[in-house]
Amino acid sequence: MKIAVTGANRGLGLELVRFFLSQGHQTFALARNESLALKELAEEYQTGFHYFKMDVTDEAEIWNAAINIEKALGELDLLVNNAAVFPEFPGKDIEELDLSTYLPTFDVNSLGPLRVVKHFLTLLRKGKEKRIVNISSEAGSIAKSWRDCDYSYCMSKAALNMATTILLNRLGKEGFCFRLIHPGWFSSEMGGSGAPITPMQSAQKVGAIAVGVWNENDPLFMDLDRKRWDW
């Protein structure tokens, strides 16, 4: 497959790029900044690996990335919208919130994927698979809401979930397929050091879902074991 991954310079995004490359897929890593790990991947995979600077809040950069992907690959089979921020970690009580961080959180987590789909749509229409995976979170589930803080992250992921259902309503008739995946709690700058799994372990399962067989009766919002996650 020909694949693009946003937020690819570290954490889950980086490990997804590594997984896709190891499986022989042409993979375009998109991130605001190129990391040492991405440079090492470029050295390891002389062919199949591509990197381009892209901030999901900057439409000009997204458009430029789409042009570069078209030049390099001609089309896309799979887009993985992974880029996200969690500025409230650790969470604060309602009386201590800095609400100035909220619009930037929605800008990345909720609107970012829409911007990327907007500018990558032509590439995806040319692809054979027409797959879009949006990395969601259990935090975006209203039915399973348990937190008493972390408002902006939870709200932004719930908004991403709604956006995905609308995209499916609009693009499903063209043969596009979508998955919202809760990637589990993994160790990272966002998830902390106490998580039960690593980004690599999460990426292996997310990646396997992304490039595996998609059945019509699969849930739209799922966990790492392909089980339905409550909205």
Short mmCIF file of all heavy atoms in Angstrom, two decimals, residues 3 32 61 127 152 160 195-196 216 218 224:
data_model
loop_
_atom_site.label_atom_id
_atom_site.label_comp_id
_atom_site.label_asym_id
_atom_site.label_seq_id
_atom_site.Cartn_x
_atom_site.Cartn_y
_atom_site.Cartn_z
N ILE A 3 1.00 4.78 1.86
CA ILE A 3 0.45 5.20 3.15
C ILE A 3 1.05 6.53 3.59
O ILE A 3 2.24 6.79 3.39
CB ILE A 3 0.75 4.13 4.22
CG1 ILE A 3 0.17 2.77 3.81
CG2 ILE A 3 0.21 4.56 5.59
CD1 ILE A 3 0.59 1.62 4.71
N ARG A 32 5.63 17.96 12.09
CA ARG A 32 6.07 19.35 12.16
C ARG A 32 7.58 19.46 12.13
O ARG A 32 8.14 20.40 11.56
CB ARG A 32 5.55 20.00 13.45
CG ARG A 32 4.07 20.28 13.45
CD ARG A 32 3.62 20.95 14.72
NE ARG A 32 3.79 20.09 15.89
CZ ARG A 32 3.48 20.43 17.13
NH1 ARG A 32 2.99 21.63 17.37
NH2 ARG A 32 3.63 19.58 18.12
N GLU A 61 0.96 24.16 4.38
CA GLU A 61 1.89 23.03 4.51
C GLU A 61 1.22 21.71 4.13
O GLU A 61 1.86 20.83 3.54
CB GLU A 61 2.43 22.96 5.94
CG GLU A 61 3.42 24.05 6.26
CD GLU A 61 4.20 23.77 7.55
OE1 GLU A 61 4.00 22.71 8.17
OE2 GLU A 61 5.02 24.63 7.92
N GLY A 127 -6.37 6.22 -5.11
CA GLY A 127 -5.88 4.98 -4.51
C GLY A 127 -6.85 3.83 -4.67
O GLY A 127 -8.06 4.02 -4.86
N SER A 152 -10.21 19.32 27.58
CA SER A 152 -9.94 19.66 26.18
C SER A 152 -9.60 18.43 25.35
O SER A 152 -10.06 18.30 24.21
CB SER A 152 -8.81 20.70 26.09
OG SER A 152 -7.56 20.16 26.49
N LEU A 160 -13.69 14.62 17.10
CA LEU A 160 -13.09 13.85 16.00
C LEU A 160 -13.98 12.67 15.63
O LEU A 160 -14.16 12.36 14.45
CB LEU A 160 -11.70 13.36 16.41
CG LEU A 160 -11.02 12.38 15.43
CD1 LEU A 160 -10.77 13.05 14.08
CD2 LEU A 160 -9.73 11.85 16.02
N ALA A 195 2.22 3.43 31.68
CA ALA A 195 1.30 2.72 30.79
C ALA A 195 1.68 1.25 30.66
O ALA A 195 2.87 0.90 30.74
CB ALA A 195 1.29 3.39 29.42
N PRO A 196 0.70 0.39 30.41
CA PRO A 196 0.97 -1.06 30.35
C PRO A 196 1.61 -1.55 29.06
O PRO A 196 2.12 -2.66 29.01
CB PRO A 196 -0.42 -1.68 30.54
CG PRO A 196 -1.36 -0.65 30.01
CD PRO A 196 -0.74 0.68 30.35
N GLU A 216 -17.38 -5.43 6.16
CA GLU A 216 -18.49 -4.48 6.25
C GLU A 216 -19.10 -4.44 7.65
O GLU A 216 -19.64 -3.41 8.07
CB GLU A 216 -19.56 -4.84 5.22
CG GLU A 216 -19.15 -4.56 3.78
CD GLU A 216 -20.29 -4.81 2.82
OE1 GLU A 216 -21.41 -5.11 3.29
OE2 GLU A 216 -20.06 -4.70 1.60
N ASP A 218 -17.47 -4.80 10.47
CA ASP A 218 -16.55 -4.32 11.50
C ASP A 218 -17.10 -3.04 12.13
O ASP A 218 -17.71 -2.21 11.44
CB ASP A 218 -15.17 -4.01 10.89
CG ASP A 218 -14.39 -5.25 10.53
OD1 ASP A 218 -14.71 -6.33 11.05
OD2 ASP A 218 -13.45 -5.14 9.71
N LEU A 224 -7.93 -2.09 20.14
CA LEU A 224 -6.83 -2.79 19.49
C LEU A 224 -7.16 -4.23 19.11
O LEU A 224 -6.49 -4.82 18.26
CB LEU A 224 -5.60 -2.78 20.41
CG LEU A 224 -4.92 -1.43 20.62
CD1 LEU A 224 -3.77 -1.56 21.60
CD2 LEU A 224 -4.43 -0.84 19.31
#
